[in-house]
Amino acid sequence: MTDSIGLYGSGLDESRQEAALLNGEVPVAVYGLGKMGLPLAGVYAELTGNVTGADVDPGVVASVTRGECHVDGEPGLAELVEETVGKGALRAVDDPAAAADGARLHVVIVPTLITDEGQADLTIVESVVEDIAAGLQEGDLVVIESTVPPRTCEDVVVPRLAAESGLDRGEFGVAFCPERTESGRALRDIRGSWPKVVGGVDSESTRAAALVYDQVTDNDVIRASDATTAESVKVFEGVYRDVNIALANELATYTDALGIDVREAIAVANTVDESDILRPGPGVGGHCIPYYPYFLFGEFDVESPLLRTAREVNDEMPAFVVGKLASLLADRGRSLDDATVLVLGGTYRAGVAETRASPAIGVTETLAANGAAVDIVDPMLDSFDEFDATPVEMTDSYQTAYDGIVLVTAHATFEAFDWAAFDDPIVVDTRAVLDPDAIAHDIYPIGGRGDVDIAAQTRSPPAADSPADTAATDGGED
């Protein structure tokens, strides 16, 4: 292979840079091989044939090195990993500094967490930036895909790279490209479901990043004015959904007072372009939406009453769900402190084996805190440590006389749930997916009456293979 080529300020014409990227003359390092990092590394490996993926988990590295895929539920990913590793296009190391050594394009996609004080924890991002600095060369381009608070590239990444590498600002490029992927459709999203957004700390960084993502995606590449604007795009997307879901959830609390199916009213309201209210649910879960508001009001001295209130509304929904069950039990002369309750679904989203910020955590905690005996069923999970509940198999649950059953996550598996096995439990359907005609029990759908055919009187939903499919537009999910 010829000597490596940098993309930032190289003086080469763009056609030569594109060719260098595609033929492997621009060695790529992808930092983070998790649920979004591994698909991204696979796409880069398929594109360039020269990718080193870095992850501090030796088990992950060993798995990828064997050509295996440790990320479940991503169509096509296992085959892509096996193929690219087999060709030598994708390698994995557990030392990020080793990945940085010799790489000319550095792509960071590691998590940003939230501290107990409600501020962004950039520890992992900063650690990776230091590792990159150890191998940073003049002409390298660093792309941050991790979601971070606006101004992170300007105030943290560039100064840290310069200080640790000895290079001056302007000798290397830094750009932000927001990850716009969802669990279960990562490869499709990376390759072109949505336009890519790039924004650099200077015009040359933006140009170089746009050149790269023009090859990665089949969709458009939008050049934001700067890195801070691009960072804000990602945060704003998540904050919009958090606020919108909070609106839907608060409207759902009017179901009894109004005596209507609030979900029907929302669906019909959305038949005009001016209305796009998401669907209510038991809260907001996942790796993104519950955290992004803190990247604004936790980092900047700006009053944010709307964002804070939306967080409070969504955080309180598990308690609202439990309160509704308690009220329905009281109508039967029962109380939670002597009730046995089954929770269906522990993951934050149907079909995805992840529990980060799942509403089911709050539901089980609140039930247990009020004295209920709580069981939980979720066929996608092996560990239930996060839940204040006893895990049971679905078929074993049929042997218990539950006073209440709460559907939190509408896994497809639950379509085979044997409701006839139970005497007369109260059913709280937080997703309003159960058919009251098929289930001979008292059902309370959160936000709905359960006896209205909403789909029959509203516009058709997008096709399942559309970028705007139901997984992307549902409330309460990443």
Side-chain angles (χ1 to χ4, degrees), residues 282-316:
V284 176
H287 297 256
C288 304
I289 300 174
Y291 301 99
Y292 292 173
Y294 295 100
F295 291 2
L296 293 176
F297 63 66
E299 300 296 316
F300 301 94
D301 187 19
V302 176
E303 291 294 327
S304 298
L306 178 61
L307 305 189
R308 294 178 188 274
T309 300
R311 277 283 76 234
E312 292 173 2
V313 169
N314 290 330
D315 283 345
E316 290 170 1

PDB file of all heavy atoms in Angstrom, residues 282-316:
ATOM      1  N   PRO A 282     -45.717   5.081  28.631  1.00  0.00           N
ATOM      2  CA  PRO A 282     -45.411   5.000  30.057  1.00  0.00           C
ATOM      3  C   PRO A 282     -44.219   5.838  30.490  1.00  0.00           C
ATOM      4  O   PRO A 282     -43.816   5.788  31.652  1.00  0.00           O
ATOM      5  CB  PRO A 282     -45.113   3.512  30.246  1.00  0.00           C
ATOM      6  CG  PRO A 282     -44.507   3.102  28.938  1.00  0.00           C
ATOM      7  CD  PRO A 282     -45.251   3.888  27.893  1.00  0.00           C
ATOM      8  N   GLY A 283     -43.650   6.611  29.586  1.00  0.00           N
ATOM      9  CA  GLY A 283     -42.466   7.406  29.892  1.00  0.00           C
ATOM     10  C   GLY A 283     -41.554   7.445  28.690  1.00  0.00           C
ATOM     11  O   GLY A 283     -41.957   7.098  27.576  1.00  0.00           O
ATOM     12  N   VAL A 284     -40.310   7.851  28.896  1.00  0.00           N
ATOM     13  CA  VAL A 284     -39.339   7.955  27.812  1.00  0.00           C
ATOM     14  C   VAL A 284     -38.098   7.165  28.199  1.00  0.00           C
ATOM     15  O   VAL A 284     -37.533   7.366  29.269  1.00  0.00           O
ATOM     16  CB  VAL A 284     -38.959   9.419  27.531  1.00  0.00           C
ATOM     17  CG1 VAL A 284     -37.876   9.493  26.466  1.00  0.00           C
ATOM     18  CG2 VAL A 284     -40.190  10.201  27.081  1.00  0.00           C
ATOM     19  N   GLY A 285     -37.690   6.256  27.329  1.00  0.00           N
ATOM     20  CA  GLY A 285     -36.509   5.451  27.610  1.00  0.00           C
ATOM     21  C   GLY A 285     -35.502   5.512  26.490  1.00  0.00           C
ATOM     22  O   GLY A 285     -35.710   6.159  25.472  1.00  0.00           O
ATOM     23  N   GLY A 286     -34.404   4.805  26.687  1.00  0.00           N
ATOM     24  CA  GLY A 286     -33.375   4.718  25.666  1.00  0.00           C
ATOM     25  C   GLY A 286     -32.125   5.483  26.024  1.00  0.00           C
ATOM     26  O   GLY A 286     -32.000   6.079  27.090  1.00  0.00           O
ATOM     27  N   HIS A 287     -31.183   5.469  25.086  1.00  0.00           N
ATOM     28  CA  HIS A 287     -29.870   6.063  25.312  1.00  0.00           C
ATOM     29  C   HIS A 287     -29.824   7.549  24.989  1.00  0.00           C
ATOM     30  O   HIS A 287     -28.815   8.202  25.267  1.00  0.00           O
ATOM     31  CB  HIS A 287     -28.832   5.351  24.439  1.00  0.00           C
ATOM     32  CG  HIS A 287     -28.656   3.908  24.754  1.00  0.00           C
ATOM     33  ND1 HIS A 287     -27.569   3.423  25.444  1.00  0.00           N
ATOM     34  CD2 HIS A 287     -29.444   2.834  24.498  1.00  0.00           C
ATOM     35  CE1 HIS A 287     -27.683   2.114  25.589  1.00  0.00           C
ATOM     36  NE2 HIS A 287     -28.811   1.738  25.020  1.00  0.00           N
ATOM     37  N   CYS A 288     -30.885   8.081  24.404  1.00  0.00           N
ATOM     38  CA  CYS A 288     -30.801   9.429  23.839  1.00  0.00           C
ATOM     39  C   CYS A 288     -31.761  10.424  24.461  1.00  0.00           C
ATOM     40  O   CYS A 288     -31.352  11.331  25.186  1.00  0.00           O
ATOM     41  CB  CYS A 288     -31.044   9.355  22.325  1.00  0.00           C
ATOM     42  SG  CYS A 288     -29.942   8.231  21.441  1.00  0.00           S
ATOM     43  N   ILE A 289     -33.039  10.267  24.168  1.00  0.00           N
ATOM     44  CA  ILE A 289     -34.024  11.304  24.487  1.00  0.00           C
ATOM     45  C   ILE A 289     -34.024  11.723  25.951  1.00  0.00           C
ATOM     46  O   ILE A 289     -34.089  12.912  26.248  1.00  0.00           O
ATOM     47  CB  ILE A 289     -35.431  10.852  24.046  1.00  0.00           C
ATOM     48  CG1 ILE A 289     -35.459  10.601  22.538  1.00  0.00           C
ATOM     49  CG2 ILE A 289     -36.465  11.922  24.389  1.00  0.00           C
ATOM     50  CD1 ILE A 289     -36.762  10.008  22.041  1.00  0.00           C
ATOM     51  N   PRO A 290     -33.934  10.790  26.916  1.00  0.00           N
ATOM     52  CA  PRO A 290     -33.999  11.239  28.312  1.00  0.00           C
ATOM     53  C   PRO A 290     -32.790  12.039  28.763  1.00  0.00           C
ATOM     54  O   PRO A 290     -32.818  12.667  29.822  1.00  0.00           O
ATOM     55  CB  PRO A 290     -34.079   9.915  29.101  1.00  0.00           C
ATOM     56  CG  PRO A 290     -34.449   8.875  28.112  1.00  0.00           C
ATOM     57  CD  PRO A 290     -33.892   9.333  26.805  1.00  0.00           C
ATOM     58  N   TYR A 291     -31.713  12.027  27.961  1.00  0.00           N
ATOM     59  CA  TYR A 291     -30.463  12.643  28.387  1.00  0.00           C
ATOM     60  C   TYR A 291     -30.151  13.963  27.694  1.00  0.00           C
ATOM     61  O   TYR A 291     -29.509  14.849  28.266  1.00  0.00           O
ATOM     62  CB  TYR A 291     -29.304  11.659  28.149  1.00  0.00           C
ATOM     63  CG  TYR A 291     -29.487  10.363  28.897  1.00  0.00           C
ATOM     64  CD1 TYR A 291     -29.977   9.229  28.258  1.00  0.00           C
ATOM     65  CD2 TYR A 291     -29.207  10.285  30.261  1.00  0.00           C
ATOM     66  CE1 TYR A 291     -30.166   8.044  28.959  1.00  0.00           C
ATOM     67  CE2 TYR A 291     -29.386   9.104  30.964  1.00  0.00           C
ATOM     68  CZ  TYR A 291     -29.872   7.990  30.311  1.00  0.00           C
ATOM     69  OH  TYR A 291     -30.069   6.821  31.011  1.00  0.00           O
ATOM     70  N   TYR A 292     -30.584  14.121  26.456  1.00  0.00           N
ATOM     71  CA  TYR A 292     -30.179  15.292  25.681  1.00  0.00           C
ATOM     72  C   TYR A 292     -30.603  16.627  26.282  1.00  0.00           C
ATOM     73  O   TYR A 292     -29.861  17.613  26.150  1.00  0.00           O
ATOM     74  CB  TYR A 292     -30.693  15.181  24.240  1.00  0.00           C
ATOM     75  CG  TYR A 292     -30.028  14.077  23.441  1.00  0.00           C
ATOM     76  CD1 TYR A 292     -30.466  13.741  22.174  1.00  0.00           C
ATOM     77  CD2 TYR A 292     -28.959  13.362  23.969  1.00  0.00           C
ATOM     78  CE1 TYR A 292     -29.868  12.727  21.447  1.00  0.00           C
ATOM     79  CE2 TYR A 292     -28.356  12.345  23.248  1.00  0.00           C
ATOM     80  CZ  TYR A 292     -28.812  12.030  21.987  1.00  0.00           C
ATOM     81  OH  TYR A 292     -28.220  11.027  21.270  1.00  0.00           O
ATOM     82  N   PRO A 293     -31.766  16.744  26.947  1.00  0.00           N
ATOM     83  CA  PRO A 293     -32.085  18.044  27.551  1.00  0.00           C
ATOM     84  C   PRO A 293     -31.022  18.530  28.533  1.00  0.00           C
ATOM     85  O   PRO A 293     -30.774  19.730  28.643  1.00  0.00           O
ATOM     86  CB  PRO A 293     -33.425  17.784  28.252  1.00  0.00           C
ATOM     87  CG  PRO A 293     -34.045  16.685  27.458  1.00  0.00           C
ATOM     88  CD  PRO A 293     -32.904  15.796  27.067  1.00  0.00           C
ATOM     89  N   TYR A 294     -30.364  17.582  29.208  1.00  0.00           N
ATOM     90  CA  TYR A 294     -29.323  17.969  30.167  1.00  0.00           C
ATOM     91  C   TYR A 294     -28.094  18.535  29.471  1.00  0.00           C
ATOM     92  O   TYR A 294     -27.287  19.232  30.096  1.00  0.00           O
ATOM     93  CB  TYR A 294     -28.930  16.761  31.023  1.00  0.00           C
ATOM     94  CG  TYR A 294     -30.057  16.271  31.889  1.00  0.00           C
ATOM     95  CD1 TYR A 294     -30.824  15.169  31.508  1.00  0.00           C
ATOM     96  CD2 TYR A 294     -30.377  16.908  33.086  1.00  0.00           C
ATOM     97  CE1 TYR A 294     -31.872  14.721  32.291  1.00  0.00           C
ATOM     98  CE2 TYR A 294     -31.427  16.465  33.876  1.00  0.00           C
ATOM     99  CZ  TYR A 294     -32.169  15.373  33.474  1.00  0.00           C
ATOM    100  OH  TYR A 294     -33.203  14.931  34.253  1.00  0.00           O
ATOM    101  N   PHE A 295     -27.929  18.250  28.168  1.00  0.00           N
ATOM    102  CA  PHE A 295     -26.814  18.813  27.418  1.00  0.00           C
ATOM    103  C   PHE A 295     -27.008  20.310  27.174  1.00  0.00           C
ATOM    104  O   PHE A 295     -26.079  20.998  26.740  1.00  0.00           O
ATOM    105  CB  PHE A 295     -26.659  18.105  26.069  1.00  0.00           C
ATOM    106  CG  PHE A 295     -26.177  16.673  26.171  1.00  0.00           C
ATOM    107  CD1 PHE A 295     -25.952  16.085  27.399  1.00  0.00           C
ATOM    108  CD2 PHE A 295     -25.960  15.915  25.036  1.00  0.00           C
ATOM    109  CE1 PHE A 295     -25.514  14.769  27.503  1.00  0.00           C
ATOM    110  CE2 PHE A 295     -25.527  14.610  25.118  1.00  0.00           C
ATOM    111  CZ  PHE A 295     -25.300  14.031  26.353  1.00  0.00           C
ATOM    112  N   LEU A 296     -28.234  20.786  27.438  1.00  0.00           N
ATOM    113  CA  LEU A 296     -28.524  22.217  27.326  1.00  0.00           C
ATOM    114  C   LEU A 296     -28.656  22.844  28.705  1.00  0.00           C
ATOM    115  O   LEU A 296     -27.797  23.593  29.142  1.00  0.00           O
ATOM    116  CB  LEU A 296     -29.783  22.443  26.497  1.00  0.00           C
ATOM    117  CG  LEU A 296     -29.685  22.059  25.016  1.00  0.00           C
ATOM    118  CD1 LEU A 296     -31.026  22.232  24.330  1.00  0.00           C
ATOM    119  CD2 LEU A 296     -28.620  22.893  24.310  1.00  0.00           C
ATOM    120  N   PHE A 297     -29.723  22.499  29.438  1.00  0.00           N
ATOM    121  CA  PHE A 297     -29.939  23.203  30.705  1.00  0.00           C
ATOM    122  C   PHE A 297     -28.971  22.760  31.801  1.00  0.00           C
ATOM    123  O   PHE A 297     -28.834  23.445  32.815  1.00  0.00           O
ATOM    124  CB  PHE A 297     -31.392  23.137  31.175  1.00  0.00           C
ATOM    125  CG  PHE A 297     -31.954  21.776  31.500  1.00  0.00           C
ATOM    126  CD1 PHE A 297     -31.480  21.031  32.556  1.00  0.00           C
ATOM    127  CD2 PHE A 297     -33.019  21.276  30.761  1.00  0.00           C
ATOM    128  CE1 PHE A 297     -32.039  19.799  32.878  1.00  0.00           C
ATOM    129  CE2 PHE A 297     -33.586  20.049  31.076  1.00  0.00           C
ATOM    130  CZ  PHE A 297     -33.082  19.305  32.131  1.00  0.00           C
ATOM    131  N   GLY A 298     -28.269  21.651  31.596  1.00  0.00           N
ATOM    132  CA  GLY A 298     -27.260  21.254  32.565  1.00  0.00           C
ATOM    133  C   GLY A 298     -25.899  21.856  32.302  1.00  0.00           C
ATOM    134  O   GLY A 298     -24.999  21.751  33.138  1.00  0.00           O
ATOM    135  N   GLU A 299     -25.746  22.506  31.123  1.00  0.00           N
ATOM    136  CA  GLU A 299     -24.424  23.011  30.730  1.00  0.00           C
ATOM    137  C   GLU A 299     -24.365  24.520  30.559  1.00  0.00           C
ATOM    138  O   GLU A 299     -23.288  25.112  30.648  1.00  0.00           O
ATOM    139  CB  GLU A 299     -24.006  22.357  29.396  1.00  0.00           C
ATOM    140  CG  GLU A 299     -23.910  20.849  29.446  1.00  0.00           C
ATOM    141  CD  GLU A 299     -22.823  20.370  30.386  1.00  0.00           C
ATOM    142  OE1 GLU A 299     -21.714  20.937  30.357  1.00  0.00           O
ATOM    143  OE2 GLU A 299     -23.096  19.434  31.172  1.00  0.00           O
ATOM    144  N   PHE A 300     -25.499  25.148  30.307  1.00  0.00           N
ATOM    145  CA  PHE A 300     -25.498  26.568  29.990  1.00  0.00           C
ATOM    146  C   PHE A 300     -26.414  27.322  30.943  1.00  0.00           C
ATOM    147  O   PHE A 300     -27.452  26.814  31.367  1.00  0.00           O
ATOM    148  CB  PHE A 300     -25.949  26.800  28.535  1.00  0.00           C
ATOM    149  CG  PHE A 300     -25.069  26.109  27.525  1.00  0.00           C
ATOM    150  CD1 PHE A 300     -25.384  24.845  27.049  1.00  0.00           C
ATOM    151  CD2 PHE A 300     -23.909  26.725  27.078  1.00  0.00           C
ATOM    152  CE1 PHE A 300     -24.575  24.200  26.139  1.00  0.00           C
ATOM    153  CE2 PHE A 300     -23.090  26.092  26.152  1.00  0.00           C
ATOM    154  CZ  PHE A 300     -23.413  24.827  25.686  1.00  0.00           C
ATOM    155  N   ASP A 301     -26.016  28.523  31.271  1.00  0.00           N
ATOM    156  CA  ASP A 301     -26.770  29.339  32.224  1.00  0.00           C
ATOM    157  C   ASP A 301     -27.909  30.044  31.505  1.00  0.00           C
ATOM    158  O   ASP A 301     -27.908  31.262  31.304  1.00  0.00           O
ATOM    159  CB  ASP A 301     -25.834  30.360  32.895  1.00  0.00           C
ATOM    160  CG  ASP A 301     -26.525  31.118  34.014  1.00  0.00           C
ATOM    161  OD1 ASP A 301     -27.567  30.627  34.491  1.00  0.00           O
ATOM    162  OD2 ASP A 301     -26.025  32.195  34.403  1.00  0.00           O
ATOM    163  N   VAL A 302     -28.880  29.247  31.088  1.00  0.00           N
ATOM    164  CA  VAL A 302     -30.041  29.752  30.366  1.00  0.00           C
ATOM    165  C   VAL A 302     -31.286  29.150  31.015  1.00  0.00           C
ATOM    166  O   VAL A 302     -31.330  27.947  31.304  1.00  0.00           O
ATOM    167  CB  VAL A 302     -29.997  29.356  28.872  1.00  0.00           C
ATOM    168  CG1 VAL A 302     -31.262  29.809  28.153  1.00  0.00           C
ATOM    169  CG2 VAL A 302     -28.754  29.943  28.207  1.00  0.00           C
ATOM    170  N   GLU A 303     -32.302  29.962  31.249  1.00  0.00           N
ATOM    171  CA  GLU A 303     -33.543  29.444  31.815  1.00  0.00           C
ATOM    172  C   GLU A 303     -34.208  28.510  30.790  1.00  0.00           C
ATOM    173  O   GLU A 303     -34.341  28.852  29.619  1.00  0.00           O
ATOM    174  CB  GLU A 303     -34.496  30.599  32.142  1.00  0.00           C
ATOM    175  CG  GLU A 303     -34.011  31.460  33.300  1.00  0.00           C
ATOM    176  CD  GLU A 303     -33.986  30.696  34.613  1.00  0.00           C
ATOM    177  OE1 GLU A 303     -34.855  29.812  34.809  1.00  0.00           O
ATOM    178  OE2 GLU A 303     -33.091  30.972  35.445  1.00  0.00           O
ATOM    179  N   SER A 304     -34.618  27.341  31.244  1.00  0.00           N
ATOM    180  CA  SER A 304     -35.239  26.374  30.326  1.00  0.00           C
ATOM    181  C   SER A 304     -36.472  25.756  30.975  1.00  0.00           C
ATOM    182  O   SER A 304     -36.534  24.552  31.219  1.00  0.00           O
ATOM    183  CB  SER A 304     -34.234  25.269  29.967  1.00  0.00           C
ATOM    184  OG  SER A 304     -33.112  25.786  29.300  1.00  0.00           O
ATOM    185  N   PRO A 305     -37.490  26.575  31.257  1.00  0.00           N
ATOM    186  CA  PRO A 305     -38.667  26.019  31.950  1.00  0.00           C
ATOM    187  C   PRO A 305     -39.391  24.945  31.146  1.00  0.00           C
ATOM    188  O   PRO A 305     -39.886  23.972  31.711  1.00  0.00           O
ATOM    189  CB  PRO A 305     -39.551  27.245  32.171  1.00  0.00           C
ATOM    190  CG  PRO A 305     -39.084  28.261  31.163  1.00  0.00           C
ATOM    191  CD  PRO A 305     -37.625  28.022  31.004  1.00  0.00           C
ATOM    192  N   LEU A 306     -39.454  25.108  29.823  1.00  0.00           N
ATOM    193  CA  LEU A 306     -40.155  24.132  29.008  1.00  0.00           C
ATOM    194  C   LEU A 306     -39.430  22.789  29.014  1.00  0.00           C
ATOM    195  O   LEU A 306     -40.043  21.730  29.210  1.00  0.00           O
ATOM    196  CB  LEU A 306     -40.306  24.639  27.575  1.00  0.00           C
ATOM    197  CG  LEU A 306     -40.992  23.701  26.582  1.00  0.00           C
ATOM    198  CD1 LEU A 306     -42.416  23.395  27.028  1.00  0.00           C
ATOM    199  CD2 LEU A 306     -40.972  24.290  25.177  1.00  0.00           C
ATOM    200  N   LEU A 307     -38.115  22.811  28.807  1.00  0.00           N
ATOM    201  CA  LEU A 307     -37.351  21.562  28.758  1.00  0.00           C
ATOM    202  C   LEU A 307     -37.376  20.851  30.100  1.00  0.00           C
ATOM    203  O   LEU A 307     -37.502  19.619  30.167  1.00  0.00           O
ATOM    204  CB  LEU A 307     -35.905  21.834  28.332  1.00  0.00           C
ATOM    205  CG  LEU A 307     -35.685  22.587  27.019  1.00  0.00           C
ATOM    206  CD1 LEU A 307     -34.211  22.561  26.645  1.00  0.00           C
ATOM    207  CD2 LEU A 307     -36.528  21.991  25.903  1.00  0.00           C
ATOM    208  N   ARG A 308     -37.258  21.619  31.170  1.00  0.00           N
ATOM    209  CA  ARG A 308     -37.280  21.013  32.510  1.00  0.00           C
ATOM    210  C   ARG A 308     -38.652  20.413  32.817  1.00  0.00           C
ATOM    211  O   ARG A 308     -38.758  19.316  33.375  1.00  0.00           O
ATOM    212  CB  ARG A 308     -36.918  22.068  33.556  1.00  0.00           C
ATOM    213  CG  ARG A 308     -35.477  22.566  33.452  1.00  0.00           C
ATOM    214  CD  ARG A 308     -35.199  23.647  34.495  1.00  0.00           C
ATOM    215  NE  ARG A 308     -33.901  24.261  34.298  1.00  0.00           N
ATOM    216  CZ  ARG A 308     -32.753  23.788  34.796  1.00  0.00           C
ATOM    217  NH1 ARG A 308     -32.776  22.678  35.532  1.00  0.00           N
ATOM    218  NH2 ARG A 308     -31.613  24.406  34.577  1.00  0.00           N
ATOM    219  N   THR A 309     -39.701  21.125  32.442  1.00  0.00           N
ATOM    220  CA  THR A 309     -41.047  20.614  32.699  1.00  0.00           C
ATOM    221  C   THR A 309     -41.313  19.352  31.899  1.00  0.00           C
ATOM    222  O   THR A 309     -41.917  18.388  32.416  1.00  0.00           O
ATOM    223  CB  THR A 309     -42.098  21.687  32.354  1.00  0.00           C
ATOM    224  OG1 THR A 309     -41.880  22.835  33.165  1.00  0.00           O
ATOM    225  CG2 THR A 309     -43.503  21.158  32.593  1.00  0.00           C
ATOM    226  N   ALA A 310     -40.858  19.330  30.649  1.00  0.00           N
ATOM    227  CA  ALA A 310     -41.042  18.139  29.821  1.00  0.00           C
ATOM    228  C   ALA A 310     -40.361  16.933  30.453  1.00  0.00           C
ATOM    229  O   ALA A 310     -40.912  15.826  30.493  1.00  0.00           O
ATOM    230  CB  ALA A 310     -40.492  18.378  28.418  1.00  0.00           C
ATOM    231  N   ARG A 311     -39.170  17.141  30.975  1.00  0.00           N
ATOM    232  CA  ARG A 311     -38.467  16.047  31.657  1.00  0.00           C
ATOM    233  C   ARG A 311     -39.266  15.565  32.856  1.00  0.00           C
ATOM    234  O   ARG A 311     -39.393  14.363  33.117  1.00  0.00           O
ATOM    235  CB  ARG A 311     -37.093  16.514  32.129  1.00  0.00           C
ATOM    236  CG  ARG A 311     -35.976  16.488  31.142  1.00  0.00           C
ATOM    237  CD  ARG A 311     -35.384  15.112  30.850  1.00  0.00           C
ATOM    238  NE  ARG A 311     -36.237  14.295  29.991  1.00  0.00           N
ATOM    239  CZ  ARG A 311     -36.652  13.073  30.295  1.00  0.00           C
ATOM    240  NH1 ARG A 311     -36.303  12.514  31.417  1.00  0.00           N
ATOM    241  NH2 ARG A 311     -37.418  12.403  29.470  1.00  0.00           N
ATOM    242  N   GLU A 312     -39.811  16.490  33.614  1.00  0.00           N
ATOM    243  CA  GLU A 312     -40.584  16.112  34.797  1.00  0.00           C
ATOM    244  C   GLU A 312     -41.831  15.323  34.406  1.00  0.00           C
ATOM    245  O   GLU A 312     -42.160  14.309  35.032  1.00  0.00           O
ATOM    246  CB  GLU A 312     -40.977  17.361  35.589  1.00  0.00           C
ATOM    247  CG  GLU A 312     -39.799  18.071  36.243  1.00  0.00           C
ATOM    248  CD  GLU A 312     -40.199  19.392  36.873  1.00  0.00           C
ATOM    249  OE1 GLU A 312     -41.402  19.720  36.832  1.00  0.00           O
ATOM    250  OE2 GLU A 312     -39.316  20.096  37.392  1.00  0.00           O
ATOM    251  N   VAL A 313     -42.518  15.782  33.359  1.00  0.00           N
ATOM    252  CA  VAL A 313     -43.730  15.091  32.912  1.00  0.00           C
ATOM    253  C   VAL A 313     -43.402  13.659  32.509  1.00  0.00           C
ATOM    254  O   VAL A 313     -44.071  12.693  32.920  1.00  0.00           O
ATOM    255  CB  VAL A 313     -44.393  15.840  31.739  1.00  0.00           C
ATOM    256  CG1 VAL A 313     -45.484  14.990  31.097  1.00  0.00           C
ATOM    257  CG2 VAL A 313     -44.970  17.165  32.215  1.00  0.00           C
ATOM    258  N   ASN A 314     -42.362  13.499  31.711  1.00  0.00           N
ATOM    259  CA  ASN A 314     -42.021  12.165  31.228  1.00  0.00           C
ATOM    260  C   ASN A 314     -41.477  11.273  32.342  1.00  0.00           C
ATOM    261  O   ASN A 314     -41.759  10.066  32.375  1.00  0.00           O
ATOM    262  CB  ASN A 314     -41.025  12.259  30.075  1.00  0.00           C
ATOM    263  CG  ASN A 314     -41.659  12.818  28.817  1.00  0.00           C
ATOM    264  OD1 ASN A 314     -42.848  12.632  28.574  1.00  0.00           O
ATOM    265  ND2 ASN A 314     -40.873  13.526  28.009  1.00  0.00           N
ATOM    266  N   ASP A 315     -40.712  11.858  33.257  1.00  0.00           N
ATOM    267  CA  ASP A 315     -40.192  11.074  34.373  1.00  0.00           C
ATOM    268  C   ASP A 315     -41.298  10.608  35.319  1.00  0.00           C
ATOM    269  O   ASP A 315     -41.151   9.592  36.002  1.00  0.00           O
ATOM    270  CB  ASP A 315     -39.169  11.888  35.168  1.00  0.00           C
ATOM    271  CG  ASP A 315     -37.811  11.968  34.484  1.00  0.00           C
ATOM    272  OD1 ASP A 315     -37.572  11.167  33.559  1.00  0.00           O
ATOM    273  OD2 ASP A 315     -37.004  12.827  34.866  1.00  0.00           O
ATOM    274  N   GLU A 316     -42.400  11.342  35.353  1.00  0.00           N
ATOM    275  CA  GLU A 316     -43.492  11.006  36.267  1.00  0.00           C
ATOM    276  C   GLU A 316     -44.501  10.019  35.675  1.00  0.00           C
ATOM    277  O   GLU A 316     -45.402   9.545  36.377  1.00  0.00           O
ATOM    278  CB  GLU A 316     -44.225  12.288  36.688  1.00  0.00           C
ATOM    279  CG  GLU A 316     -43.395  13.184  37.600  1.00  0.00           C
ATOM    280  CD  GLU A 316     -44.024  14.546  37.825  1.00  0.00           C
ATOM    281  OE1 GLU A 316     -45.124  14.779  37.270  1.00  0.00           O
ATOM    282  OE2 GLU A 316     -43.431  15.359  38.530  1.00  0.00           O
TER     283      GLU A 316
END
